[in-house]
Amino acid sequence: GFSEYIYVTEGHLKNTVFKIPNNLTPVEASFLEPLACVIRAVERSQIQKGQKVLILGLGSIGNLMAQVVKVYGAKVFGYDINEERQNFSNLKFDPNIKYNIIFMTSGAKSAIETALKYILSGGKIIVFSSVKDLSGYTNNDIYYRELSIIGSYSPAPNDYKISYELLKDKKVKVDKMSVEYPLDKLSSAVDDTIANKIMKAYIKIWKWKQ
């Protein structure tokens, strides 16, 4: 990501490179890849219209996930221990119900316990984050409750195409998620991201001409 030049294969040019449409800023267009990853996760969940879905962790990925879940017609709820992020997402959390699908977009160990508490028996937990220690879902929870634990990491070419269309058609809005930093403030951008002062950093390298 910090390379001055990168080698792009013919396959990448054909399947993962898109011309930025006039109605998107470079900052908005920079969400093409993370949004494609999110679409992959939602597709793998085999989500159904009307299902109750909980997003655990409401950073940039959690907010993208919530918007995609809405596009697919499910009822979306969200939870984050950071009150600022909870308010930004405009999502509600109902502790009195169980959820058909839970998307793990938080890397906190406690999120695993929360997911197991609020998932319906027979439900699906989509793992979309790494956890620092070796905590995991216990064999007996998966066995007796017939849970499906599904990992999702990187997108397929078709996920990029869907991502492009959702961004272009403004069905997923990302304009308020990033903070711009000039290249000489790169260290501040990294520090602010680690400290959770911002949701996502965009490093502005040159002046963009529309």
Side-chain angles (χ1 to χ4, degrees):
F2 297 138
S3 300
E4 185 175 0
Y5 297 101
I6 60 170
Y7 174 73
V8 181
T9 66
E10 183 180 348
H12 277 96
L13 285 171
K14 182 180 178 182
N15 296 299
T16 66
V17 177
F18 299 84
K19 184 178 179 180
I20 299 176
N22 292 331
N23 67 332
L24 287 182
T25 67
V27 180
E28 291 173 312
S30 71
F31 280 84
L32 177 72
E33 191 272 345
L35 180 58
C37 293
V38 165
I39 290 164
R40 173 74 166 174
V42 175
E43 290 277 353
R44 282 176 62 78
S45 75
Q46 298 181 315
I47 200 167
Q48 302 293 319
K49 287 185 178 180
Q51 286 186 319
K52 293 183 178 68
V53 175
L54 176 64
I55 315 295
L56 286 182
L58 298 174
S60 60
I61 293 297
N63 276 277
L64 290 176
M65 194 77 75
Q67 292 187 67
V68 174
V69 166
K70 286 179 182 178
V71 169
Y72 280 66
K75 297 177 182 177
V76 61
F77 299 78
Y79 178 72
D80 197 296
I81 58 172
N82 185 318
E83 189 175 345
E84 209 172 297
R85 291 188 173 187
Q86 184 79 49
N87 293 335
F88 177 86
S89 72
N90 287 319
L91 294 175
K92 304 290 185 183
F93 171 62
D94 188 345
N96 298 310
I97 63 175
K98 303 287 186 181
Y99 299 88
N100 302 100
I101 300 172
I102 293 180
F103 287 94
M104 295 284 296
T105 55
S106 166
K109 178 182 176 181
S110 59
I112 295 175
E113 298 171 3
T114 304
L116 289 171
K117 181 177 180 180
Y118 290 106
I119 191 69
L120 274 170
S121 291
K124 298 175 184 177
I125 297 173
I126 313 301
V127 181
F128 197 81
S129 60
S130 61
V131 177
K132 289 183 180 179
D133 59 29
L134 296 178
S135 298
Y137 303 89
T138 67
N139 181 84
N140 286 2
D141 275 315
I142 297 170
Y143 176 57
Y144 287 112
R145 298 181 61 192
E146 297 186 339
L147 300 178
S148 295
I149 312 296
I150 301 170
S152 186
Y153 179 62
S154 61
N158 191 58
D159 301 318
Y160 279 100
K161 294 177 184 177
I162 297 171
S163 175
Y164 180 78
E165 294 299 326
L166 291 181
L167 288 171
K168 181 171 66 71
D169 296 341
K170 301 290 185 175
K171 290 183 179 178
V172 171
K173 297 180 180 180
V174 297
D175 55 308
K176 295 179 181 178
M177 288 191 204
S178 295
V179 176
E180 292 187 49
Y181 294 80
L183 185 58
D184 60 0
K185 298 291 184 183
L186 176 60
S187 60
S188 296
V190 174
D191 290 342
D192 290 348
T193 302
I194 293 172
N196 286 325
K197 291 182 179 179
I198 62 170
M199 196 169 290
K200 197 170 185 64
Y202 178 88
I203 311 303
K204 193 173 183 179
I205 300 173
W206 63 80
K207 187 175 181 180
W208 175 261
K209 292 182 181 180
Q210 193 74 16

